[in-house]
Amino acid sequence: MFKRQKKALKFFILLLILSTLIYSRIKVDSLIPTWSHPVGHLSMHNREMTLNKAKCLPVRNIAFIKTHKTGSSTVSNILLNFGLANNLTAALPNFLKGHPYYNYITKPNEHFVKEMICPLTDGRQEYNLLFYHCVYNKTAFRSIMPENTVYISILREPFQQFLSSFFYYRIDISLVKDFPDLNNSMSIYSFLSSPYNFTKEENHFTYTRNKQAEDLGFREEHLRNNETLKQYLLGLEKDFLLVMIMEYFEESLLLLRRALCWEMEDIIYIPNNVNKKKEKLTFDEEYIQSHRRFSVLDYIVYDHFLKIFEEKLNSQDESFKAELDHFKRVLNLVQLGCATGNDVWVNESVWHQSFVVTQERCRLMTMGELDSLDLLFEVQGTKRTLNSTHSVRTLLY
């Protein structure tokens, strides 16, 4: 009897030790997040679909043409996280820290040369990612990025992009400073009523005029010649795998995920560089049409790629809508978890395996663009070799 009790006691102690070790391992490795919620459940049929679906290789070489005030900082942050997770090399602007254009590789009217990008460090063979401000130049990009690089960009409805730029860059303050008779709160209406009173007619590319087109490499000759404009648009169609649309942001990311063969966790995001100072204003149709006439090239470019985007969206299979709904639920879960300071466990689904979004990932997703640039310089061991011939462009409104 005593022997049986002694044996049972040993077994109990051993079980207790094993349980303690397992619990400690889970806590150390953060395998069980502090806050979690299941998203999605697999039926046996769905599980078989997931296991049997054809595997493709994720695209690792990507150039993102970053347009102004279009949600592009959020896309850049997604690429930042993908690059860090996969030890990829990003092309970094060759400016010293503190320079006004620290996060710009090129500015408008600059000829893009290799010296504008920091040289590769020891052990890194090629640039995989480019996602800092750089005006699109097909020849220059292809001389720097690998041959199999995928090109993507994003556009926003031009009037909304104009409003975002107007207040983000505090153009209202600049106008009142230059034109004291203006009322600060009404300056945007004055501007839209008579934009040429505040902008020289020959300045076709400013922060309030054709800025998205300028980022994509459009120039004066495209405004003067319809055939030249048409050919450049068709050329961009061939160059870009996808031009995302901000008004369809989640849809854009899902199309991107499918095109790049990425995992869903690769496109998880928290909105970045949002203009919280933008005022809530209403505009009659006359103001919108005034801006359309003033910034005509942005509307031509946006309408062109919106049509292409909608065609791609409408051509998706029936599973796309279900995946989109699931993706939005995952985003809500992750963004809530990050806001409350908890790791988030996302259960596997028909579209992805289970994954954890840690607080470190939350920190990276909310990191500002300049801080992320500092981080990449540190991680890659990149050295700046400042090009003294870099000109400083005068900003125009």
Side-chain angles (χ1 to χ4, degrees):
M1 180 73 175
F2 178 75
K3 288 183 178 180
R4 285 200 300 271
Q5 289 177 336
K6 188 175 180 180
K7 188 174 182 180
L9 181 61
K10 285 182 178 179
F11 178 77
F12 176 76
I13 292 172
L14 180 62
L15 185 62
L16 183 63
I17 292 172
L18 286 172
S19 299
T20 302
L21 287 172
I22 292 171
Y23 176 77
S24 299
R25 174 67 182 277
I26 289 173
K27 292 291 285 184
V28 170
D29 291 345
S30 299
L31 296 177
I32 295 182
T34 54
W35 181 86
S36 64
H37 186 279
V39 176
H41 297 278
L42 283 176
S43 66
M44 183 61 69
H45 173 67
N46 285 343
R47 187 180 298 276
E48 289 174 357
M49 284 174 59
T50 302
L51 293 176
N52 294 332
K53 70 178 182 180
K55 292 291 183 181
C56 54
L57 294 176
V59 174
R60 295 162 61 90
N61 295 332
I62 304 157
F64 173 57
I65 313 308
K66 195 172 188 297
T67 48
H68 285 75
K69 307 311 299 174
T70 59
S72 61
S73 291
T74 300
V75 179
S76 292
N77 186 270
I78 290 172
L79 292 168
L80 165 76
N81 278 278
F82 183 79
L84 291 172
N86 293 279
N87 192 32
L88 303 180
T89 300
L92 304 181
N94 199 4
F95 276 128
L96 292 178
K97 186 173 181 178
H99 191 282
Y101 295 101
Y102 177 45
N103 58 327
Y104 279 70
I105 293 174
T106 66
K107 304 180 297 297
N109 301 321
E110 284 188 330
H111 181 62
F112 186 11
V113 294
K114 203 164 188 176
E115 289 72 26
M116 292 178 174
I117 293 177
C118 290
L120 291 163
T121 52
D122 294 340
R124 295 183 181 269
Q125 304 299 317
E126 62 184 9
Y127 302 107
N128 306 113
L129 302 171
L130 192 156
F131 51 82
Y132 286 101
H133 281 295
C134 187
V135 176
Y136 182 60
N137 179 317
K138 180 174 181 176
T139 303
F141 270 69
R142 281 152 183 76
S143 71
I144 291 166
M145 299 299 293
E147 187 177 348
N148 63 347
T149 296
V150 162
Y151 291 81
I152 61 175
S153 190
I154 185 169
L155 295 172
R156 183 179 186 179
E157 193 283 316
F159 191 75
Q160 293 303 314
Q161 190 271 345
F162 157 76
L163 294 180
S164 184
S165 291
F166 192 89
F167 292 109
Y168 182 83
Y169 295 110
R170 301 321 313 250
I171 293 170
D172 53 337
I173 294 176
S174 299
L175 287 175
V176 172
K177 182 179 177 181
D178 294 338
F179 303 93
D181 291 340
L182 287 180
N183 179 291
N184 201 38
S185 62
M186 298 296 292
S187 62
I188 189 167
Y189 294 101
S190 299
F191 181 92
L192 287 170
S193 295
S194 304
Y196 294 112
N197 288 344
F198 310 101
T199 306
K200 293 180 179 179
E201 191 168 352
E202 61 269 23
N203 287 345
H204 293 288
F205 300 99
T206 71
Y207 276 116
T208 58
R209 190 180 191 191
N210 298 321
K211 189 60 182 174
Q212 297 179 85
E214 182 180 46
D215 289 329
L216 290 177
F218 284 87
R219 291 291 178 266
E220 299 284 345
E221 59 263 29
H222 300 121
L223 284 162
R224 293 193 297 264
N225 188 301
N226 287 336
E227 185 59 28
T228 303
L229 170 61
K230 179 182 177 182
Q231 292 305 314
Y232 192 77
L233 272 173
L234 293 175
L236 289 180
E237 270 188 52
K238 296 176 182 177
D239 293 349
F240 285 74
L241 175 71
L242 177 67
V243 175
M244 296 177 281
I245 300 295
M246 185 183 179
E247 288 71 32
Y248 294 94
F249 197 70
E250 281 81 19
E251 291 89 340
S252 292
L253 290 179
L254 272 192
L255 288 178
L256 185 68
R257 183 183 94 81
R258 290 185 171 198
L260 300 183
C261 194
W262 280 13
E263 298 297 329
M264 185 167 287
E265 65 179 299
D266 296 326
I267 59 170
I268 296 298
Y269 75 93
I270 293 175
N272 200 292
N273 198 27
V274 176
N275 184 7
K276 297 179 181 179
K277 297 179 180 179
K278 186 172 69 173
E279 299 181 31
K280 301 294 183 182
L281 301 171
T282 57
F283 296 89
D284 294 336
E285 184 65 23
E286 62 183 282
Y287 291 113
I288 298 173
Q289 291 304 319
S290 173
H291 185 258
R292 178 178 279 272
R293 291 189 296 271
F294 176 65
S295 189
V296 62
L297 195 51
D298 261 12
Y299 285 90
I300 291 173
V301 174
Y302 177 80
D303 291 345
H304 181 85
F305 283 104
L306 175 63
K307 181 180 178 181
I308 293 173
F309 180 89
E310 290 177 337
E311 289 173 354
K312 287 185 178 182
L313 201 57
N314 293 332
S315 68
Q316 297 304 302
D317 58 44
E318 60 184 14
S319 70
F320 187 87
K321 177 61 168 62
E323 184 179 357
L324 178 64
D325 291 340
H326 175 78
F327 178 47
K328 290 179 178 179
R329 290 195 296 271
V330 171
L331 283 177
N332 289 334
L333 173 69
V334 170
Q335 292 173 7
L336 177 60
C338 287
T340 54
N342 294 285
D343 295 350
V344 183
W345 177 275
V346 181
N347 285 350
E348 66 177 329
S349 76
V350 66
W351 299 285
H352 59 79
Q353 297 180 343
S354 62
F355 61 91
V356 178
V357 178
T358 65
Q359 276 301 292
E360 174 60 16
R361 174 72 186 274
C362 292
R363 185 183 72 84
L364 290 172
M365 287 193 293
T366 55
M367 180 176 284
E369 190 170 301
L370 299 184
D371 290 334
S372 73
L373 185 51
D374 291 339
L375 175 63
L376 283 176
F377 272 112
E378 180 182 345
V379 169
Q380 294 183 184
T382 304
K383 303 297 181 184
R384 303 174 182 87
T385 57
L386 182 65
N387 180 3
S388 60
T389 63
H390 243 64
S391 61
V392 178
R393 176 174 179 262
T394 301
L395 298 183
L396 304 170
Y397 57 73

